[in-house]
Amino acid sequence: MCGRYTFAGPMDDVAEHFQLADPPKGLAPRYNVAPGQAVAVVALKSDGERFGLAHLKWGLVPDWADSPDRGIRPVNARDDSMGKPMFARLFAAQRCLLPATGFYEWRVTGRRKEPVHFSLTGGGLMAFAGLWSVWTDGTRKVPTVCLITTTPNELVRDYHDRMPVIVPPRDYHRWLSNDTPPKELKAMLRPYPAEGMAARLANPVVNKATVEGPECLAAAQPAPAR
């Protein structure tokens, strides 16, 4: 699974990169985004054409749930589960992008868990494929999100058997558009090419979800394959 990621690129580049209709507010670099937190999400605005950015809680609560505080709240959805009742309607009409600059997985060395940070080669912004939902009881609304995972590429598979679906910028419109055929959407659920990514050992402070500063990536070193 992907349970931690970074969104620490130049915040001034976010609006242009994601072709946002309005400049995003309140964005700050984040080096250790964790489940249960509010995360930046890009999706279609109500006009069905323009892109907007909002903050949703990471941990999907389906709109049919009895409560947003109990029950299953997945942070990830497998690519091969898009036909299941929990995800099928969201996959058809409530897709989104989660802006990021990388994600973490771990390798175990003896008794130590060493975080490994995966990013695009050369760094820069990326986007995870996601699904969003809004739970409401008529008096309050709880917007939530989960990201979609797929089989790992050759780089990630040394550390985990899943990785986030990374949507290339050329496919942002197709992924979010309501006019994209389901067959084309499913074809996007594939591993990002390993040659376009890099892996580096990160600071073990990442193991604490409460640590979110740049020290998470301090003195990062190339990560050897296992």
Side-chain angles (χ1 to χ4, degrees), residues 7-18 24 27-29 31 100-101 123-125:
F7 180 31
M11 296 295 104
D12 292 342
D13 295 348
V14 173
E16 180 179 358
H17 182 87
F18 290 99
L27 290 183
Y31 295 85
T101 51
L125 290 162

Side-chain angles (χ1 to χ4, degrees), residues 8-207:
M11 296 295 104
D12 292 342
D13 295 348
V14 173
E16 180 179 358
H17 182 87
F18 290 99
Q19 302 177 22
L20 300 178
D22 304 302
K25 298 179 181 178
L27 290 183
R30 302 181 65 186
Y31 295 85
N32 194 11
V33 183
Q37 298 176 350
V39 299
V41 173
V42 173
L44 283 174
K45 294 178 75 71
S46 57
D47 61 14
E49 297 292 335
R50 298 178 299 160
F51 294 171
L53 184 145
H55 284 85
L56 282 64
K57 187 176 182 179
W58 187 15
L60 190 77
V61 177
D63 58 9
W64 43 260
D66 293 333
S67 167
D69 305 313
R70 299 190 306 272
I72 299 174
R73 288 168 284 178
V75 297
N76 298 330
R78 292 175 59 99
D79 57 345
D80 55 6
S81 67
M82 293 298 100
K84 293 185 176 181
M86 185 169 189
F87 304 119
R89 184 169 56 81
L90 303 181
F91 183 67
Q94 293 175 214
R95 299 177 304 280
C96 61
L97 297 168
L98 286 79
T101 51
F103 62 95
Y104 296 104
E105 291 298 349
W106 279 259
R107 70 174 188 174
V108 178
T109 304
R111 295 184 178 181
R112 294 183 302 167
K113 288 182 64 179
E114 297 180 324
V116 179
H117 185 252
F118 297 90
S119 63
L120 298 181
T121 302
L125 290 162
M126 64 172 71
F128 303 143
L131 305 174
W132 63 270
S133 180
V134 178
W135 181 93
T136 182
D137 61 359
T139 59
R140 63 171 174 154
K141 293 183 178 180
V142 181
T144 59
V145 66
C146 71
L147 60 84
I148 302 174
T149 66
T150 186
T151 53
N153 60 28
E154 295 86 347
L155 181 67
V156 179
R157 72 166 59 128
D158 282 336
Y159 302 91
H160 205 275
D161 61 358
R162 306 293 295 175
M163 68 176 289
V165 172
I166 300 173
V167 181
R170 66 175 181 274
D171 289 336
Y172 289 173
H173 275 278
R174 284 204 305 145
W175 174 251
L176 296 179
S177 174
N178 292 329
D179 296 327
T180 304
K183 184 177 180 179
E184 291 186 19
L185 293 171
K186 291 180 180 179
M188 295 184 204
L189 304 180
R190 59 183 182 268
Y192 195 85
E195 59 270 21
M197 297 183 65
R200 301 180 71 82
L201 290 175
N203 192 326
V205 298
V206 170
N207 295 341

